[in-house]
Amino acid sequence: MEPLKEMFNHRFYTGFAEAFGQADRHFNVEGFMKDVTRGLDGLSLNQRLHNTSVVLQKHLPADFRKALNILYKVAGKVQTGYTALVFPGFVALYGKEHFDASMEALQFFTPFGSSEFAVREFLKTDFDRALTVMKRWAADSNHHVRRLASEGSRPRLPWSFKLDAVIRDPVLTRDILEQLKTDTELYVRKSVANHLNDISKDHPAYMISLVKSWNASNTHTAWIIKHASRSLIKQGHQDSLAVFNFEKHVKVRLEKLRLQPSRISLGEALQFSFDIVSEKKTPQKLVVDYALHYRKAGGGLSRKVFKLKEAELLPGATLHFSKKQVLRDFTTRKHYPGRHLLEIMVNGKTMGEKAFDLRIP
């Protein structure tokens, strides 16, 4: 499987340069190709993305608005997706002194390649002004633009810098979330839920208070609330559990926790099973999770929680669980040899643990 950075390869740049050549007869296709592919092999995915915008600026008119007009012509004629982030990336780099034109451009480009990272540069330099525009975006007819309002203003957007103002005061983005709480597009609802989940990491009481004020009888709103609360539920946050009627005071016991094998190699499957037995005379609504404590390079452990099942446990009843998980390296996780830990949780409460050893061939 070829690296993700190969999205920006010679074949991509050939079509990309030709599109600009067709949009602007003064565009130097050969010169652009020579500049943009110089040292390409040594650049990472994000470095290639950034470099493309930088090289484009060299070959487009120095006047930002004239350059922007050419970008408008090309955006719909090249591949959409991650590589199209070149367009909002260009705006973020060179449009700071042209606020209105830049914000309009980010709105235009986001259906081709999300402007969520680029718009944060404008929030950084002129937060109030940018947020005012984004509140209008939340009412846009295009679902990509509506999502941009939520995703771009997330306090802790992955692969971007934090928005300290929103982390300090989450009320700042409430107008955006209120407008999107019943959105019919799942793409938008996922962003709203992730935005709320970000907020819950710093202001759990505020987040719970906000979603409790919403009408959960709307199926779209209910989906957002449930997805937004996932981190708090995994932590056993009492108010969050109460929103979904999960048992606050769990009375269960863990039995027959089995893990095999107790020593595995990277690429092999870890298999485990266990029973949850009721110790209460009334039904209990449970959320059962497990966590793997991965060995870190420095020797410590890093905990990752995985969702297992939501269930109702009747008085005197037993729930049986079994799970198989292959341990392999990903771009987001590298495994290290040594003692690891499996943890079983019910409504955020640790019920039991078992250790296993991981070998790296």
Side-chain angles (χ1 to χ4, degrees):
M1 184 177 179
E2 67 179 20
L4 288 175
K5 68 179 185 178
E6 289 305 315
M7 288 190 288
F8 292 97
N9 56 21
H10 285 264
R11 182 178 179 183
F12 163 78
Y13 283 122
T14 298
F16 190 76
E18 289 175 353
F20 274 90
Q22 292 169 6
D24 177 19
R25 61 187 179 86
H26 299 293
F27 189 82
N28 185 345
V29 173
E30 289 186 8
F32 172 81
M33 285 295 297
K34 182 179 179 181
D35 289 342
V36 81
T37 57
R38 185 181 295 114
L40 185 64
D41 291 342
L43 299 180
S44 67
L45 173 63
N46 286 334
Q47 287 172 333
R48 292 184 184 198
L49 172 63
H50 176 79
N51 182 62
T52 306
S53 296
V54 171
V55 175
L56 265 179
Q57 197 270 342
K58 176 182 175 181
H59 290 272
L60 289 175
D63 182 278
F64 176 74
R65 291 178 183 275
K66 290 181 179 178
L68 200 56
N69 287 334
I70 298 171
L71 293 176
Y72 276 134
K73 293 177 183 178
V74 176
K77 298 180 180 179
V78 296
Q79 181 178 323
T80 59
Y82 190 86
T83 53
L85 267 63
V86 167
F87 299 101
F90 183 94
V91 175
L93 285 172
Y94 305 109
K96 297 280 178 54
E97 297 180 2
H98 308 271
F99 180 88
D100 292 335
S102 291
M103 294 297 281
E104 288 178 10
L106 294 182
Q107 178 178 355
F108 177 84
F109 291 138
T110 204
F112 306 106
S114 179
S115 299
E116 65 199 62
F117 302 111
V119 75
R120 295 170 82 82
E121 296 294 337
F122 293 87
L123 285 166
K124 181 193 291 185
T125 55
D126 196 340
F127 183 88
D128 292 339
R129 193 177 179 192
L131 192 65
T132 297
V133 175
M134 296 175 77
K135 288 177 182 178
R136 294 200 299 268
W137 287 348
D140 199 88
S141 60
N142 187 297
H143 67 279
H144 291 279
V145 178
R146 297 198 303 276
R147 177 188 178 272
L148 177 59
S150 169
E151 196 72 4
S153 62
R154 279 179 60 179
R156 295 177 176 273
L157 181 66
W159 303 298
S160 181
F161 52 84
K162 299 174 184 177
L163 293 182
D164 292 332
V166 184
I167 289 175
R168 288 192 300 269
D169 183 10
V171 177
L172 290 170
T173 59
R174 179 166 181 166
D175 286 350
I176 290 174
L177 303 180
E178 291 282 359
Q179 291 186 78
L180 301 175
K181 65 186 179 186
T182 60
D183 204 281
T184 57
E185 291 286 340
L186 180 60
Y187 186 53
V188 178
R189 295 199 301 275
K190 284 183 177 179
S191 176
V192 175
N194 288 333
H195 190 132
L196 287 165
N197 187 53
D198 281 0
I199 290 174
S200 75
K201 296 173 183 176
D202 302 290
H203 302 278
Y206 167 79
M207 196 282 277
I208 292 298
S209 175
L210 176 59
V211 299
K212 285 176 71 174
S213 72
W214 293 353
N215 180 11
S217 64
N218 181 291
T219 56
H220 299 321
T221 305
W223 188 95
I224 290 172
I225 295 172
K226 185 65 174 293
H227 196 64
S229 303
R230 62 191 185 276
S231 293
L232 293 180
I233 290 174
K234 287 177 180 178
Q235 295 166 15
H237 188 275
Q238 294 297 296
D239 290 338
S240 180
L241 291 170
V243 170
F244 304 100
N245 297 316
F246 288 118
E247 186 67 36
K248 279 189 175 184
H249 305 292
V250 175
K251 290 187 178 180
V252 299
R253 68 178 183 271
L254 175 69
E255 291 186 352
K256 301 177 182 178
L257 175 56
R258 297 187 177 94
L259 185 154
Q260 59 177 349
S262 60
R263 181 172 297 174
I264 65 172
S265 297
L266 189 66
E268 295 180 342
L270 177 73
Q271 300 183 64
F272 59 93
S273 61
F274 60 92
D275 292 339
I276 298 294
V277 183
S278 172
E279 292 187 333
K280 196 170 185 177
K281 295 181 180 179
T282 56
Q284 301 177 79
K285 189 177 179 183
L286 307 179
V287 54
V288 183
D289 299 317
Y290 70 97
L292 291 178
H293 296 250
Y294 295 98
R295 181 66 56 185
K296 297 192 293 186
L301 293 174
S302 173
R303 183 174 182 260
K304 169 70 175 177
V305 177
F306 298 90
K307 186 173 180 61
L308 198 53
K309 187 178 183 179
E310 294 178 13
E312 183 176 41
L313 181 61
L314 298 177
T318 298
L319 293 172
H320 177 74
F321 297 87
S322 62
K323 178 71 177 179
K324 178 190 291 185
Q325 181 162 326
V326 177
L327 271 68
R328 58 168 64 97
D329 283 343
F330 297 97
T331 54
T332 54
R333 179 178 299 282
K334 180 176 175 60
H335 292 79
Y336 297 93
R339 181 61 57 95
H340 289 53
L341 194 67
L342 168 71
E343 175 188 4
I344 306 300
M345 295 164 294
V346 177
N347 292 16
K349 180 182 178 181
T350 299
M351 304 303 300
E353 300 173 338
K354 266 192 179 297
F356 64 96
D357 292 311
L358 178 66
R359 186 178 70 89
I360 308 296

